[in-house]
Every structure is written in C-alpha cells, then in structure tokens.
Amino acid sequence: LIASHDPLFQEQAMVEEVRKVGQDMFLLNLKVSEIALTAKPGQFLELQVSSINSLDPLLRRPISIYSIDQTKGIIGIVYREVGRGTKLLSQYQNGDIIDVIGPIGNGFTIPDDAKKILLVAGGIGMPPLHSVAQYYKDREFILYYGTRSKDEVILEDEWKLMGVETKVATDDGSLGFHGRVTDLLKAELPEADLCCACGPRPMLIALKDYLKVHDIPGLISLEEKMACGVGACLGCVCKTHQGYRRVCVDGPVFAVEEVILDE
Ligand SMILES: Cc1cc2nc3c(=O)[nH]c(=O)nc-3n(C[C@H](O)[C@H](O)[C@H](O)COP(=O)(O)OP(=O)(O)OC[C@H]3O[C@@H](n4cnc5c(N)ncnc54)[C@H](O)[C@@H]3O)c2cc1C
Ligand code: FES
C-alpha cells in the first residue's frame, strides 16, 4: 500500500510567497524544482531554518507538504510557530533562500478502488491532507476538520476551490459542531472507502476506534520529534504490531491498525 525510499534531494529553495494564514500560522511557497517533480502527498521536507553560514539551530525542522505544483516547481508548506525553529522560519521573506531536503517519507498512497475518501484533520494536521486532495483529483473527498477554536480553522477557501466539502468541529463551539471532530463523525456517519488522517494523538486514538467500529480502513500520518530526519538515528520510532518503526522513513503514514497508539 505504501511506497518509500524514493530519491532525496537537497536544494537551495527560493521563498516565492509568505502568507500569514492565521494566528501564528503561515504558508510558505518554496521553489524546489527537483523535489516538486517527485513529491507525493503526505511526504515532508526537512528545513534548515538557521540563517546562511550559521548552523544554529543544528537540527532541521520537519514540515509536511501542503501543495505540489510540478509545472512551476513549487511546494507549499503551512506551519504553526511553536518554538525557536518555526519562529526563525517566520522571518524568511520573498526571495530568501532556505536549505531543504526532501521529499521524505512514504506519503499517502490511495488504492485505485478507494473512491470516497474521508479526510480527518486535527489542528495543524490539516496541511498533508490538502496535498492528498490536490493530488488524487479523480476521487471524492470530504474533510472533517477539528480545532480548539475558530481562529485555528485556516485556508477553508482553498478547500472550497478544490470542491471539497468541509465539516468543522471546534472544542469551544465557536465554529461548526461544538465538540470533538470524532464526535461529529459519530453524529454524521459519513460513508467512505478509506480514511486519511493527521492530528494529535488523542484524536488518532478516538478515530482508530471509530474506524474499527464502522469497518473503514485508515491511513494515519504520525508526528514524532526527529533528529536526523532521514532514517539514521532511530530518534523517531513508534510502536507497531511489527515492532518499532521509524516515523521519518518507514512513515510518517501507517495503516491505522498497524500502529499501537495508546501506550
Ligand atoms: C513528519 C512531520 C511533519 C510535520 N508537519 C508539520 C506541518 O505541516 N506544520 C507544522 O506546523 N508542524 C509540522 N510538524 C511539527 C514541526 O516539525 C514542529 O512544530 C517543529 O519542528 C517545532 O520546531 P521549533 O523549533 O519551532 O519548536 P521547538 O522549540 O523544538 O519545540 C516547541 C514545541 O513543539 C513541540 N515539538 C517539537 N517538535 C515536534 C514534532 N516533530 N512533533 C510534534 N511536536 C513537536 C515541542 O515538544 C515543544 O512543545 C511536523 C512534524 C513531523 C515529524
Ligand atoms: S529522525 Fe532519525 S531515524 Fe527518524
């Protein structure tokens, strides 16, 4: 189901666009001609966020691919500023250069017979799912998008442009359904051949139960802290029924029943 170990490229990416898309959230379009040619939805980039001629911070930061434009050689990423690395990333402007490695990981591979795809996003887990809907144009998608409050619901228009229906759930009830995104699923029971999801661990645990009860196969994208980001350090392992697997190169996408989420 899942392809991995495609060639990796290191590129000096030119920043083509910086857009603030929400509180502490940004979209960056990066000119990465080689990476854009082979990138698949659900893969990610490792960005060297330090300024030119500096290696501080040393570790690259992993950010998912939000959009792929092969013709223009542009990959979009969307991120939330949470610490030093992402704060540095926010200082880049149009025309600046960022050292980028990618595309990394296996990504979402959707079987041909899966026509109706349920996307379930929690907060900043939304970006990799956007690349899925953009890439698999011949499928029917519906997005269930859960956040803490309405301020964290971003880029809704871009989903509308792709013709994808979006159902929003907020923890505080400030937009859409009042409650967890998995409770909205339980209330609406959308039909699906496959679910693709990315979000915080509690959401994935609840979703795993939901998918099991309703007999829907699922692919989930995991986040772990990463050091090397290319499979060498074993710093990012997750527990599966086949033993420990590296999230960076064996994932980040796993079949939901394969992963042990609640230990
Ligand atoms: C495969 C993958 C894809 C990702 N895609 C995106 C994305 O599309 N958009 C986005 O905003 N973020 C994404 N992340 C998370 C992003 O990598 C971290 O937010 C970022 O590395 C934090 O760096 P920092 O220096 O700003 O924060 P730090 O100062 O390192 O940490 C700040 C806070 O963020 C937490 N944190 C740090 N690294 C991670 C991590 N890898 N996963 C979860 N929490 C972390 C820390 O525990 C701490 O609470 C992804 C992570 C992975 C592993
Ligand atoms: S981050 Fe080093 S093996 Fe995954």
PDB file of all heavy atoms in Angstrom, residues 122-142:
ATOM      1  N   GLY A 122      -6.821  17.216  12.520  1.00  0.00           N
ATOM      2  CA  GLY A 122      -6.852  17.877  13.823  1.00  0.00           C
ATOM      3  C   GLY A 122      -5.832  18.997  13.816  1.00  0.00           C
ATOM      4  O   GLY A 122      -4.636  18.756  13.643  1.00  0.00           O
ATOM      5  N   GLY A 123      -6.306  20.248  13.932  1.00  0.00           N
ATOM      6  CA  GLY A 123      -5.411  21.408  14.018  1.00  0.00           C
ATOM      7  C   GLY A 123      -4.437  21.488  12.861  1.00  0.00           C
ATOM      8  O   GLY A 123      -4.819  21.422  11.689  1.00  0.00           O
ATOM      9  N   ILE A 124      -3.155  21.575  13.192  1.00  0.00           N
ATOM     10  CA  ILE A 124      -2.121  21.753  12.177  1.00  0.00           C
ATOM     11  C   ILE A 124      -1.797  20.420  11.460  1.00  0.00           C
ATOM     12  O   ILE A 124      -0.875  20.329  10.655  1.00  0.00           O
ATOM     13  CB  ILE A 124      -0.877  22.466  12.778  1.00  0.00           C
ATOM     14  CG1 ILE A 124       0.016  23.105  11.716  1.00  0.00           C
ATOM     15  CG2 ILE A 124      -0.112  21.551  13.714  1.00  0.00           C
ATOM     16  CD1 ILE A 124      -0.588  24.273  11.013  1.00  0.00           C
ATOM     17  N   GLY A 125      -2.629  19.415  11.697  1.00  0.00           N
ATOM     18  CA  GLY A 125      -2.575  18.172  10.929  1.00  0.00           C
ATOM     19  C   GLY A 125      -3.255  18.312   9.577  1.00  0.00           C
ATOM     20  O   GLY A 125      -3.215  17.396   8.747  1.00  0.00           O
ATOM     21  N   MET A 126      -3.874  19.446   9.327  1.00  0.00           N
ATOM     22  CA  MET A 126      -4.593  19.634   8.064  1.00  0.00           C
ATOM     23  C   MET A 126      -3.689  19.656   6.824  1.00  0.00           C
ATOM     24  O   MET A 126      -4.042  19.070   5.784  1.00  0.00           O
ATOM     25  CB  MET A 126      -5.436  20.923   8.163  1.00  0.00           C
ATOM     26  CG  MET A 126      -6.239  21.244   6.930  1.00  0.00           C
ATOM     27  SD  MET A 126      -5.275  22.133   5.694  1.00  0.00           S
ATOM     28  CE  MET A 126      -5.220  23.767   6.341  1.00  0.00           C
ATOM     29  N   PRO A 127      -2.497  20.321   6.838  1.00  0.00           N
ATOM     30  CA  PRO A 127      -1.739  20.502   5.596  1.00  0.00           C
ATOM     31  C   PRO A 127      -1.458  19.238   4.774  1.00  0.00           C
ATOM     32  O   PRO A 127      -1.700  19.252   3.553  1.00  0.00           O
ATOM     33  CB  PRO A 127      -0.447  21.186   6.062  1.00  0.00           C
ATOM     34  CG  PRO A 127      -0.866  21.956   7.271  1.00  0.00           C
ATOM     35  CD  PRO A 127      -1.902  21.107   7.950  1.00  0.00           C
ATOM     36  N   PRO A 128      -0.989  18.117   5.360  1.00  0.00           N
ATOM     37  CA  PRO A 128      -0.717  16.967   4.488  1.00  0.00           C
ATOM     38  C   PRO A 128      -1.969  16.429   3.809  1.00  0.00           C
ATOM     39  O   PRO A 128      -1.883  15.860   2.709  1.00  0.00           O
ATOM     40  CB  PRO A 128      -0.114  15.922   5.443  1.00  0.00           C
ATOM     41  CG  PRO A 128      -0.451  16.375   6.821  1.00  0.00           C
ATOM     42  CD  PRO A 128      -0.590  17.856   6.764  1.00  0.00           C
ATOM     43  N   LEU A 129      -3.144  16.637   4.429  1.00  0.00           N
ATOM     44  CA  LEU A 129      -4.388  16.126   3.824  1.00  0.00           C
ATOM     45  C   LEU A 129      -4.783  16.970   2.618  1.00  0.00           C
ATOM     46  O   LEU A 129      -5.377  16.470   1.659  1.00  0.00           O
ATOM     47  CB  LEU A 129      -5.508  16.095   4.864  1.00  0.00           C
ATOM     48  CG  LEU A 129      -5.187  15.257   6.102  1.00  0.00           C
ATOM     49  CD1 LEU A 129      -6.350  15.295   7.076  1.00  0.00           C
ATOM     50  CD2 LEU A 129      -4.869  13.815   5.716  1.00  0.00           C
ATOM     51  N   HIS A 130      -4.419  18.248   2.654  1.00  0.00           N
ATOM     52  CA  HIS A 130      -4.674  19.100   1.495  1.00  0.00           C
ATOM     53  C   HIS A 130      -3.909  18.573   0.283  1.00  0.00           C
ATOM     54  O   HIS A 130      -4.433  18.520  -0.836  1.00  0.00           O
ATOM     55  CB  HIS A 130      -4.255  20.544   1.813  1.00  0.00           C
ATOM     56  CG  HIS A 130      -4.456  21.495   0.681  1.00  0.00           C
ATOM     57  ND1 HIS A 130      -3.491  21.699  -0.285  1.00  0.00           N
ATOM     58  CD2 HIS A 130      -5.504  22.275   0.338  1.00  0.00           C
ATOM     59  CE1 HIS A 130      -3.946  22.580  -1.160  1.00  0.00           C
ATOM     60  NE2 HIS A 130      -5.158  22.935  -0.810  1.00  0.00           N
ATOM     61  N   SER A 131      -2.670  18.145   0.497  1.00  0.00           N
ATOM     62  CA  SER A 131      -1.890  17.629  -0.644  1.00  0.00           C
ATOM     63  C   SER A 131      -2.505  16.344  -1.189  1.00  0.00           C
ATOM     64  O   SER A 131      -2.419  16.064  -2.385  1.00  0.00           O
ATOM     65  CB  SER A 131      -0.417  17.425  -0.259  1.00  0.00           C
ATOM     66  OG  SER A 131      -0.262  16.383   0.680  1.00  0.00           O
ATOM     67  N   VAL A 132      -3.172  15.574  -0.340  1.00  0.00           N
ATOM     68  CA  VAL A 132      -3.835  14.343  -0.798  1.00  0.00           C
ATOM     69  C   VAL A 132      -4.980  14.692  -1.751  1.00  0.00           C
ATOM     70  O   VAL A 132      -5.091  14.151  -2.859  1.00  0.00           O
ATOM     71  CB  VAL A 132      -4.382  13.529   0.407  1.00  0.00           C
ATOM     72  CG1 VAL A 132      -5.213  12.348  -0.079  1.00  0.00           C
ATOM     73  CG2 VAL A 132      -3.256  13.049   1.296  1.00  0.00           C
ATOM     74  N   ALA A 133      -5.824  15.639  -1.330  1.00  0.00           N
ATOM     75  CA  ALA A 133      -6.990  16.007  -2.158  1.00  0.00           C
ATOM     76  C   ALA A 133      -6.538  16.664  -3.455  1.00  0.00           C
ATOM     77  O   ALA A 133      -7.164  16.489  -4.507  1.00  0.00           O
ATOM     78  CB  ALA A 133      -7.906  16.936  -1.372  1.00  0.00           C
ATOM     79  N   GLN A 134      -5.450  17.395  -3.394  1.00  0.00           N
ATOM     80  CA  GLN A 134      -4.942  18.074  -4.585  1.00  0.00           C
ATOM     81  C   GLN A 134      -4.363  17.065  -5.599  1.00  0.00           C
ATOM     82  O   GLN A 134      -4.500  17.230  -6.801  1.00  0.00           O
ATOM     83  CB  GLN A 134      -3.848  19.047  -4.141  1.00  0.00           C
ATOM     84  CG  GLN A 134      -3.467  20.060  -5.180  1.00  0.00           C
ATOM     85  CD  GLN A 134      -2.143  20.716  -4.840  1.00  0.00           C
ATOM     86  OE1 GLN A 134      -1.203  20.081  -4.380  1.00  0.00           O
ATOM     87  NE2 GLN A 134      -2.082  22.000  -5.078  1.00  0.00           N
ATOM     88  N   TYR A 135      -3.756  16.011  -5.086  1.00  0.00           N
ATOM     89  CA  TYR A 135      -3.036  15.037  -5.921  1.00  0.00           C
ATOM     90  C   TYR A 135      -3.985  14.016  -6.550  1.00  0.00           C
ATOM     91  O   TYR A 135      -3.884  13.704  -7.730  1.00  0.00           O
ATOM     92  CB  TYR A 135      -2.023  14.332  -5.022  1.00  0.00           C
ATOM     93  CG  TYR A 135      -1.017  13.453  -5.706  1.00  0.00           C
ATOM     94  CD1 TYR A 135       0.171  13.977  -6.205  1.00  0.00           C
ATOM     95  CD2 TYR A 135      -1.214  12.071  -5.800  1.00  0.00           C
ATOM     96  CE1 TYR A 135       1.119  13.158  -6.790  1.00  0.00           C
ATOM     97  CE2 TYR A 135      -0.259  11.251  -6.384  1.00  0.00           C
ATOM     98  CZ  TYR A 135       0.903  11.804  -6.871  1.00  0.00           C
ATOM     99  OH  TYR A 135       1.842  10.988  -7.441  1.00  0.00           O
ATOM    100  N   TYR A 136      -4.910  13.503  -5.734  1.00  0.00           N
ATOM    101  CA  TYR A 136      -5.832  12.469  -6.233  1.00  0.00           C
ATOM    102  C   TYR A 136      -7.112  13.136  -6.708  1.00  0.00           C
ATOM    103  O   TYR A 136      -8.165  13.033  -6.077  1.00  0.00           O
ATOM    104  CB  TYR A 136      -6.122  11.450  -5.125  1.00  0.00           C
ATOM    105  CG  TYR A 136      -4.946  10.563  -4.803  1.00  0.00           C
ATOM    106  CD1 TYR A 136      -4.118  10.835  -3.729  1.00  0.00           C
ATOM    107  CD2 TYR A 136      -4.657   9.452  -5.586  1.00  0.00           C
ATOM    108  CE1 TYR A 136      -3.026  10.018  -3.427  1.00  0.00           C
ATOM    109  CE2 TYR A 136      -3.573   8.630  -5.300  1.00  0.00           C
ATOM    110  CZ  TYR A 136      -2.768   8.924  -4.220  1.00  0.00           C
ATOM    111  OH  TYR A 136      -1.695   8.116  -3.936  1.00  0.00           O
ATOM    112  N   LYS A 137      -7.008  13.799  -7.850  1.00  0.00           N
ATOM    113  CA  LYS A 137      -8.130  14.630  -8.336  1.00  0.00           C
ATOM    114  C   LYS A 137      -9.353  13.817  -8.721  1.00  0.00           C
ATOM    115  O   LYS A 137     -10.459  14.341  -8.786  1.00  0.00           O
ATOM    116  CB  LYS A 137      -7.668  15.439  -9.553  1.00  0.00           C
ATOM    117  CG  LYS A 137      -6.666  16.516  -9.218  1.00  0.00           C
ATOM    118  CD  LYS A 137      -6.499  17.468 -10.405  1.00  0.00           C
ATOM    119  CE  LYS A 137      -5.689  18.690 -10.054  1.00  0.00           C
ATOM    120  NZ  LYS A 137      -4.349  18.435  -9.534  1.00  0.00           N
ATOM    121  N   ASP A 138      -9.146  12.521  -9.036  1.00  0.00           N
ATOM    122  CA  ASP A 138     -10.258  11.707  -9.524  1.00  0.00           C
ATOM    123  C   ASP A 138     -11.072  11.075  -8.394  1.00  0.00           C
ATOM    124  O   ASP A 138     -11.953  10.265  -8.653  1.00  0.00           O
ATOM    125  CB  ASP A 138      -9.715  10.610 -10.464  1.00  0.00           C
ATOM    126  CG  ASP A 138      -8.673   9.738  -9.776  1.00  0.00           C
ATOM    127  OD1 ASP A 138      -8.061  10.184  -8.784  1.00  0.00           O
ATOM    128  OD2 ASP A 138      -8.484   8.583 -10.224  1.00  0.00           O
ATOM    129  N   ARG A 139     -10.786  11.420  -7.131  1.00  0.00           N
ATOM    130  CA  ARG A 139     -11.540  10.817  -6.017  1.00  0.00           C
ATOM    131  C   ARG A 139     -12.487  11.851  -5.411  1.00  0.00           C
ATOM    132  O   ARG A 139     -12.338  13.047  -5.604  1.00  0.00           O
ATOM    133  CB  ARG A 139     -10.617  10.298  -4.907  1.00  0.00           C
ATOM    134  CG  ARG A 139      -9.421   9.522  -5.383  1.00  0.00           C
ATOM    135  CD  ARG A 139      -9.806   8.303  -6.218  1.00  0.00           C
ATOM    136  NE  ARG A 139      -8.615   7.814  -6.914  1.00  0.00           N
ATOM    137  CZ  ARG A 139      -7.831   6.852  -6.466  1.00  0.00           C
ATOM    138  NH1 ARG A 139      -8.118   6.246  -5.332  1.00  0.00           N
ATOM    139  NH2 ARG A 139      -6.769   6.480  -7.155  1.00  0.00           N
ATOM    140  N   GLU A 140     -13.424  11.322  -4.631  1.00  0.00           N
ATOM    141  CA  GLU A 140     -14.380  12.204  -3.943  1.00  0.00           C
ATOM    142  C   GLU A 140     -13.931  12.348  -2.479  1.00  0.00           C
ATOM    143  O   GLU A 140     -13.731  11.329  -1.797  1.00  0.00           O
ATOM    144  CB  GLU A 140     -15.754  11.537  -4.006  1.00  0.00           C
ATOM    145  CG  GLU A 140     -16.890  12.399  -3.576  1.00  0.00           C
ATOM    146  CD  GLU A 140     -18.189  11.601  -3.552  1.00  0.00           C
ATOM    147  OE1 GLU A 140     -18.387  10.747  -4.453  1.00  0.00           O
ATOM    148  OE2 GLU A 140     -18.972  11.809  -2.628  1.00  0.00           O
ATOM    149  N   PHE A 141     -13.756  13.583  -2.056  1.00  0.00           N
ATOM    150  CA  PHE A 141     -13.273  13.804  -0.684  1.00  0.00           C
ATOM    151  C   PHE A 141     -14.303  14.542   0.155  1.00  0.00           C
ATOM    152  O   PHE A 141     -15.053  15.374  -0.350  1.00  0.00           O
ATOM    153  CB  PHE A 141     -12.003  14.670  -0.700  1.00  0.00           C
ATOM    154  CG  PHE A 141     -10.808  13.978  -1.289  1.00  0.00           C
ATOM    155  CD1 PHE A 141     -10.457  14.174  -2.620  1.00  0.00           C
ATOM    156  CD2 PHE A 141     -10.036  13.126  -0.512  1.00  0.00           C
ATOM    157  CE1 PHE A 141      -9.362  13.526  -3.160  1.00  0.00           C
ATOM    158  CE2 PHE A 141      -8.930  12.480  -1.052  1.00  0.00           C
ATOM    159  CZ  PHE A 141      -8.595  12.680  -2.378  1.00  0.00           C
ATOM    160  N   ILE A 142     -14.267  14.265   1.457  1.00  0.00           N
ATOM    161  CA  ILE A 142     -14.961  15.125   2.415  1.00  0.00           C
ATOM    162  C   ILE A 142     -13.987  15.323   3.585  1.00  0.00           C
ATOM    163  O   ILE A 142     -13.323  14.367   4.012  1.00  0.00           O
ATOM    164  CB  ILE A 142     -16.315  14.530   2.861  1.00  0.00           C
ATOM    165  CG1 ILE A 142     -17.034  15.514   3.780  1.00  0.00           C
ATOM    166  CG2 ILE A 142     -16.176  13.176   3.528  1.00  0.00           C
ATOM    167  CD1 ILE A 142     -18.519  15.237   3.939  1.00  0.00           C
TER     168      ILE A 142
END
